[in-house]
Amino acid sequence: MKLKQLESLLGNLQQFQNPKIELEQYPTGAHIASRMLYTAENSYDDISGKVVADFGCGCGTLSLAATLLDAEHVIGIDVDDESLEIASVNADELEVELELIQSEIKNLQWRGQIVDTVVMNPPFGTRKKGADMEFLSVALKVASQAVYSLHKTTTREHIKRAALRDYNASSAEVICELRYDLPKLYKFHKKKDVDIAVDLWRFVPKAKQES
Amino acid sequence: MRLLTHNMLASNIKGVTNGFPLRIEPEKIIEKPVDFNPDFLKNMFSKIDWKALADASKIMGYAELPDEVPEQTVVESDEFLRKFHHALLEVHLEEGALVCPETGRRFPVNKGIPNMLLHEDEV
């Protein structure tokens, strides 16, 4: 599938109807999502034929991008049932298979090393401090091959240090810098639209023993 | 929910040491055909907990998988891989529950989505 086609399919997905600020629910735009998954597939071979988990999947944009790029088994996990319902409708709309689980990321118990790749657009931790790092720490435990994640560019050094030192990553690299276009979703947003710089990261977990 | 997902989920309640496999209480089972990918299946075979899959498959009404872990020569065969494919990826738990084997706590499954949220005292 071509990048443009992927972006246009993702652009038609339904997004949050009543976004919840405590969960930092912001839609992952089609522009970013398509580039993220397209790079994971075409530069690193981490999607097609793989088992992919999407942490904090929301309405399923990244999950569905993975299914469109021929991931074999995709699991979206989110704490919010309204989002999961929309994700499910989006999957039906695209006529693809998407597995969904309602859970907190930190509380989910995984057996074995079945997940190859984790993709996520985690909460940036602006409302609940450390939420982004919690997601990253679990992702590096669950993935056997790679973790793709978006983080604010201003936190780059911190992310790199924590991933390598505390979270079992053998490598952590910024693949590209993107502009995250935040539409005015919440009342406390003063400006109409804000554009923030985010990094697309690829982390590789250290090889693990079979558990 | 596919049985592949079931094979990787364990009970997450605080204090539970043996939360796998979750017991399935099926109320509604559906089948959705997907493309057959032998390479994926061969690779996945080594990562699956066989007994959990064979038992779950039986509870879901598909009793074609052997109880014992099959020999490598069998695993390579098309006949086996097609059954494995069906059980792993095509049989879905649409409505029902997953039950923690240690505490008996039920996690409901609605519209194919397991609700694994914990109560405050379970975290």
Side-chain angles (χ1 to χ4, degrees):
Chain A
M1 180 174 293
K2 295 223 169 76
L3 176 60
K4 272 202 170 148
Q5 194 187 353
L6 180 65
E7 182 172 350
S8 122
L9 285 169
L10 297 177
N12 293 330
L13 298 176
Q14 235 191 88
Q15 296 296 341
F16 302 107
Q17 279 154 354
N18 306 297
K20 301 185 177 74
I21 184 58
E22 68 278 14
L23 297 175
E24 293 189 42
Q25 290 182 334
Y26 296 99
T28 312
H31 177 85
I32 286 193
S34 57
R35 272 146 193 84
M36 187 169 172
L37 274 289
Y38 194 82
T39 306
E41 171 58 15
N42 290 286
S43 304
Y44 299 98
D45 211 6
D46 281 332
I47 305 296
S48 165
K50 306 292 183 200
V51 175
V52 177
D54 177 0
F55 281 9
C57 67
C59 303
T61 310
L62 295 176
S63 301
L64 292 164
T67 66
L68 290 169
L69 295 175
D70 296 324
E72 190 73 27
H73 184 77
V74 181
I75 311 166
I77 302 126
D78 205 286
V79 69
D80 178 41
D81 50 355
E82 285 177 39
S83 300
L84 290 167
E85 219 158 285
I86 300 174
S88 178
V89 169
N90 282 333
D92 289 347
E93 206 59 39
L94 289 172
E95 297 180 337
V96 295
E97 285 297 319
L98 174 60
E99 294 279 282
L100 296 166
I101 299 172
Q102 188 177 10
S103 177
E104 299 254 9
I105 297 304
K106 62 173 191 246
N107 291 340
L108 206 55
Q109 195 70 43
W110 301 80
R111 184 206 67 83
Q113 292 292 311
I114 292 181
V115 175
D116 298 301
T117 306
V118 171
V119 296
M120 58 185 190
N121 176 13
F124 289 147
T126 44
R127 306 295 292 189
K128 188 183 159 208
K129 207 170 171 350
D132 52 342
M133 302 314 268
E134 191 175 278
F135 271 53
L136 182 58
S137 133
V138 179
L140 278 161
K141 285 184 195 134
V142 169
S144 60
Q145 201 165 315
V147 174
Y148 293 85
S149 184
L150 297 168
H151 299 274
K152 279 176 157 173
T153 300
T154 50
T155 60
R156 189 179 290 180
E157 287 313 309
H158 173 58
I159 299 274
K160 181 154 202 149
R161 200 171 339 114
L164 295 174
R165 190 190 57 194
D166 306 328
Y167 301 151
N168 204 38
S170 68
S171 80
E173 52 172 325
V174 174
I175 298 174
C176 63
E177 205 178 299
L178 297 156
R179 307 299 303 177
Y180 197 107
D181 177 33
L182 281 181
K184 185 179 181 336
L185 280 181
Y186 300 111
K187 284 209 179 94
F188 69 83
H189 286 159
K190 293 196 181 74
K191 289 185 202 150
K192 199 159 161 262
D193 282 320
V194 246
D195 217 22
I196 56 168
V198 294
D199 293 335
L200 169 57
W201 286 86
R202 181 175 190 266
F203 305 93
V204 177
K206 283 186 189 136
K208 279 160 257 187
Q209 302 292 318
E210 280 292 316
S211 58
Chain B
M1 186 198 69
R2 290 170 167 172
L3 293 187
L4 174 52
T5 300
H6 171 258
N7 209 272
M8 52 204 275
L9 270 188
S11 168
N12 45 2
I13 301 166
K14 185 185 170 191
V16 166
T17 51
N18 209 353
F20 181 87
L22 294 157
R23 203 171 71 239
I24 298 175
E25 284 181 0
E27 279 166 30
K28 185 178 172 197
I29 296 159
I30 57 172
E31 291 184 11
K32 298 184 200 169
V34 282
D35 290 344
F36 177 64
N37 179 349
D39 289 335
F40 173 80
L41 294 164
K42 282 180 214 167
N43 175 259
M44 190 46 68
F45 178 78
S46 60
K47 301 177 181 175
I48 286 293
D49 183 303
W50 184 259
K51 190 174 180 333
L53 177 67
D55 288 351
S57 176
K58 227 178 274 175
I59 291 169
M60 298 282 279
Y62 185 70
E64 300 293 315
L65 298 182
D67 287 331
E68 298 300 318
V69 180
E71 302 280 336
Q72 197 53 42
T73 49
V74 175
V75 172
E76 300 281 326
S77 76
D78 190 68
E79 190 197 350
F80 169 79
L81 287 175
R82 290 198 179 265
K83 290 176 181 172
F84 183 43
H85 168 76
H86 183 70
L88 199 65
L89 302 173
E90 294 186 326
V91 177
H92 292 249
L93 180 64
E94 186 69 2
E95 300 288 334
L98 302 174
V99 182
C100 170
E102 206 169 290
T103 63
R105 152 79 140 94
R106 292 174 87 250
F107 297 96
V109 178
N110 298 118
K111 294 184 190 164
I113 306 175
N115 178 349
M116 305 300 291
L117 291 180
L118 297 176
H119 305 309
E120 258 173 49
D121 58 351
E122 294 174 326
V123 180

